[in-house]
Amino acid sequence: AQSVTQLGSHVSVSEGALVLLRCNYSSSVPPYLFWYVQYPNQGLQLLLKYTSAATLVKGINGFEAEFKKSETSFHLTKPSAHMSDAAEYFCAVHRAGTASKLTFGTGTRLQVTL
Amino acid sequence: EPEVTQTPSHQVTQMGQEVILRCVPISNHLYFYWYRQILGQKVEFLVSFYNNEISEKSEIFDDQFSVERPDGSNFTLKIRSTKLEDSAMYFCASNEPGGYGYTFGSGTRLTVV
């Protein structure tokens, strides 16, 4: 079975500061990993995904994540936060090379302050 | 870019009524899913569907729920007798073989009153 743990249900950063949202995964088989963003009362938007190619994955809106097998991590970063980044962020995992179900983390709410 | 389309975007129903949520997956995808998100909580898997049958379901997906692909394009989730606790955002998703193309719809917000 696959699972993800997101450390920190709430993260607050100043505008222009580094954003770091943590995700650790557990999987007995190679995983595919995803980050989704959800703005209030909206759906899930894919930020980026890791599907066994490059370990450093670049996504939309300046976000990137690095797959580190040794640390079982897939942390999301952005060098400089913008007010528009305030949202809920979900990490998710499923078995690589399959179309199995996605398992989501509990989410991290990012607050960006002036 | 191809999209997964869900209708309606909002639905209000009375407790005990049947509801059908509709989804049009991406045309060349073969795997289809329903997820739900109760307000303020994480996204939970309900069911996956492949080759006209359920391939996996969660413990949430009890006898009150059913899925169907009635034609070549639509994928529906039916709740036979809605309960207050069924109020949630329901997301449809589709995927291609190999799992590279996981795509979600924008969701249907179901409110049971």
Side-chain angles (χ1 to χ4, degrees), chain B residues 84-95:
Chain B
L84 294 176
E85 54 265 37
D86 294 327
S87 295
M89 180 77 95
Y90 288 81
F91 293 106
C92 174
S94 68
N95 203 354

Side-chain angles (χ1 to χ4, degrees), chain B residues 53-113:
Chain B
E53 61 182 27
I54 290 173
S55 49
E56 187 176 0
K57 61 182 180 179
S58 72
E59 61 276 8
I60 302 168
F61 194 87
D62 61 21
D63 291 344
Q64 291 298 314
F65 291 90
S66 62
V67 289
E68 192 177 38
R69 190 156 160 82
D71 53 40
S73 60
N74 290 285
F75 178 53
T76 61
L77 174 69
K78 182 192 290 186
I79 309 175
R80 288 192 183 82
S81 179
T82 50
K83 308 183 189 71
L84 294 176
E85 54 265 37
D86 294 327
S87 295
M89 180 77 95
Y90 288 81
F91 293 106
C92 174
S94 68
N95 203 354
E96 57 191 74
Y100 303 106
Y102 233 115
T103 304
F104 281 83
S106 55
T108 293
R109 181 167 296 284
L110 177 66
T111 303
V112 182
V113 296

Side-chain angles (χ1 to χ4, degrees), chain B residues 36-42 44 85-89:
Chain B
R36 81 171 186 191
Q37 184 184 31
I38 294 172
L39 187 63
Q41 299 186 23
K42 72 173 183 178
E44 303 173 289
E85 54 265 37
D86 294 327
S87 295
M89 180 77 95

Side-chain angles (χ1 to χ4, degrees), chain A residues 33-78:
Chain A
L33 291 154
F34 303 76
W35 275 100
Y36 288 89
V37 60
Q38 185 178 37
Y39 298 98
N41 298 312
Q42 293 191 27
L44 299 166
Q45 182 180 9
L46 179 67
L47 275 178
L48 48 79
K49 61 183 177 182
Y50 166 76
T51 55
S52 308
T55 56
L56 181 62
V57 182
K58 294 187 186 298
I60 62 171
N61 301 340
F63 284 94
E64 63 180 40
E66 187 171 7
F67 173 71
K68 292 187 177 180
K69 185 178 178 181
S70 61
E71 299 177 8
T72 62
S73 69
F74 189 59
H75 301 331
L76 182 70
T77 61
K78 181 174 179 178

Side-chain angles (χ1 to χ4, degrees), chain A residues 43, chain B residues 5-12 19-23 34-37 86-92 105-111:
Chain B
T5 305
Q6 289 188 244
T7 55
S9 57
H10 285 84
Q11 181 149 2
V12 180
V19 294
I20 297 176
L21 309 183
R22 291 183 166 79
C23 170
W34 283 100
Y35 291 78
R36 81 171 186 191
Q37 184 184 31
D86 294 327
S87 295
M89 180 77 95
Y90 288 81
F91 293 106
C92 174
S106 55
T108 293
R109 181 167 296 284
L110 177 66
T111 303

Side-chain angles (χ1 to χ4, degrees), chain A residues 8 11 13-15 23 39-40 44-45 52 65 68-69 73 85-88 102:
Chain A
V11 170
V13 300
S14 300
E15 191 174 35
C23 174
Y39 298 98
L44 299 166
Q45 182 180 9
S52 308
K68 292 187 177 180
K69 185 178 178 181
S73 69
D85 295 326
E88 187 91 18
L102 267 178

